[in-house]
Amino acid sequence: MTTDHYLSAEGPGAATGVRPAALPRMAAHDAAPHAQGALLAPLSGVTDLHMRRIARRLGATATVSEMVAAEDFARGTEEARLRAEGEGVLPHVVQLAGCDPRWMAEGARLAEANGADVIDVNMGCPAKAVTGGQAGSALMRDLDHAERLLAAVRGAVSVPVTVKMRLGWDDATRNAPDLARRAERLGYAAVTVHGRTRQQFYTGRADWAAIRAVREAVAIPLVANGDVASLADAQACLAASGADAVMIGRAAVGRPWLVAAIAAGLAGETLAEPDAAARAELAAEHYDGLIALYGARMGVRHARKHLAAYADHAGGLGPDERIRLLTTTDPAEAARLLRRAFEGRSAQPAARPEPRAA
């Protein structure tokens, strides 16, 4: 790629010819975004290759891989390789996580060699398994070390590099503007900010207005993340944060078409939600893709969170059928029940736990 950042990438989905929104550089004092877009967020264990393909093909501005452990990826771990897969997704954005500059650089080099158009650095994941290893949002507790890691990744590749962070570790250290400035000085192409601190995890509401401090600190494109579940949310988030684009995570699980609908709405266009038959086809495509990617045994396990989300949004399964859908190890039976969920959507959606964004 020769673009300054992935939000101006020229990589349309082959089937649609849709181009991502181009977001020009902004002056730090300019609060109103000149162009807007909607991206699919990296969700650990969720935003697999096929979910990203579907969202991008339907019109999402861009999609980001699920979090990939840089050291595991550089060492050739199969799970990390599958997480970083991006065939058929343009632009192909790989998010790397780690705390060692050497391994982050090696992972970035390998991702670029394998076709990544953009490398995204994870400095926002709040999970204890990640922060306990001093990665993710734990890096916001030591900005000098975070800067060394950012420099190592930027120096390792020729493609654009971005970073995703939170507001800070806690309310006493909301240092996202400082970290964003350091990234900008190093040549980072864009920054994404989730409107919570690490200590909040996913409680309460994302503070979109707090993201504005980052908008005032840097001129590079800014993406706002957290609790965006509709076009109205996206518009309110952009107005409060001054960001150029929104990133949508949990709300898109079971509804990969949502990101495209919001992107269209922000562009002043209307994109009708797929009808029940089209949604069923997309869900089946996603399920079949996971079976092909991971094999039947592992694919069924990886698909369960998606099957639950599709079924709950479709609302066409009774409790016993839903349990069967999530416990069957027979791909043919799962596909049949998935179709049934959309055919019988008169039932009310069931409550379900939400996945976590990286």
Side-chain angles (χ1 to χ4, degrees):
M1 288 175 59
T2 59
T3 51
D4 291 335
H5 50 77
Y6 65 93
L7 292 176
S8 61
E10 292 288 333
T16 64
V18 176
R19 291 173 184 256
L23 301 185
R25 293 174 62 87
M26 295 172 56
H29 64 273
D30 190 352
H34 298 296
Q36 299 168 348
L39 295 79
L40 177 64
L43 293 168
S44 185
V46 176
T47 49
D48 52 72
L49 171 63
H50 295 281
M51 182 176 182
R52 285 180 278 130
R53 276 182 181 170
I54 291 169
R56 182 67 186 91
R57 188 177 74 234
L58 294 175
T61 303
T63 67
V64 186
S65 79
E66 55 187 304
M67 181 177 63
V68 178
E71 182 173 352
D72 289 348
F73 185 51
R75 291 183 181 276
T77 301
E78 179 68 3
E79 180 179 355
R81 184 190 67 79
L82 291 173
R83 283 173 174 251
E85 179 60 59
E87 184 180 357
V89 181
L90 294 172
H92 174 31
V93 187
V94 175
Q95 187 188 74
L96 296 176
C99 64
D100 185 321
R102 172 201 168 196
W103 287 116
M104 288 292 288
E106 288 294 330
R109 274 191 283 267
L110 180 60
E112 180 181 28
N114 287 351
D117 299 304
V118 181
I119 307 298
D120 185 62
V121 178
N122 184 315
M123 293 193 174
C125 182
K128 291 181 180 179
V130 176
T131 60
Q134 303 307 309
S137 56
L139 289 161
M140 300 192 75
R141 302 179 75 176
D142 183 351
L143 294 194
D144 289 339
H145 179 65
E147 184 172 355
R148 288 191 291 272
L149 189 149
L150 290 172
V153 175
R154 176 64 280 174
V157 297
S158 60
V159 296
V161 185
T162 63
V163 58
K164 188 172 187 290
M165 64 186 71
R166 288 201 160 211
L167 296 174
W169 179 259
D170 55 26
D171 282 331
T173 55
R174 291 195 171 203
N175 53 8
D178 189 0
L179 181 56
R181 278 190 293 265
R182 294 178 187 227
E184 183 178 44
R185 285 198 300 268
L186 289 168
Y188 272 61
V191 59
T192 299
V193 181
H194 182 115
R196 289 182 174 89
T197 67
R198 185 272 178 183
Q199 295 298 66
Q200 287 180 270
F201 285 87
Y202 295 92
T203 60
R205 290 286 300 174
D207 188 350
W208 299 329
I211 299 173
R212 184 169 286 276
V214 178
R215 170 72 294 153
E216 294 169 352
V218 298
I220 56 177
L222 171 65
V223 181
N225 177 225
D227 295 340
V228 176
S230 66
L231 175 58
D233 287 341
Q235 291 167 331
C237 177
L238 291 172
S241 66
D244 300 279
V246 294
M247 184 172 275
I248 300 157
R250 290 172 286 168
V253 183
R255 296 186 295 170
W257 47 83
L258 176 65
V259 187
I262 291 175
L266 291 175
E269 302 170 358
T270 300
L271 183 64
E273 182 176 302
D275 62 22
R279 291 195 298 274
E281 289 182 8
L282 291 168
E285 175 190 339
H286 191 178
Y287 180 72
D288 291 344
L290 286 170
I291 299 299
L293 184 66
Y294 289 102
R297 185 176 67 85
M298 291 298 295
V300 166
R301 291 176 56 189
H302 278 275
R304 282 173 181 156
K305 61 181 73 69
H306 294 292
L307 294 176
Y310 282 122
D312 291 345
H313 284 301
L317 293 182
D320 291 343
E321 288 179 310
R322 184 182 185 278
I323 291 172
R324 185 61 186 163
L325 174 66
L326 302 186
T327 56
T328 184
T329 57
D330 179 1
E333 182 178 25
R336 178 183 63 79
L337 288 167
L338 193 57
R339 288 193 299 272
R340 172 83 178 93
F342 288 93
E343 291 167 356
R345 63 169 291 146
S346 57
Q348 292 296 314
R352 61 185 178 86
E354 298 284 8
R356 300 309 190 191

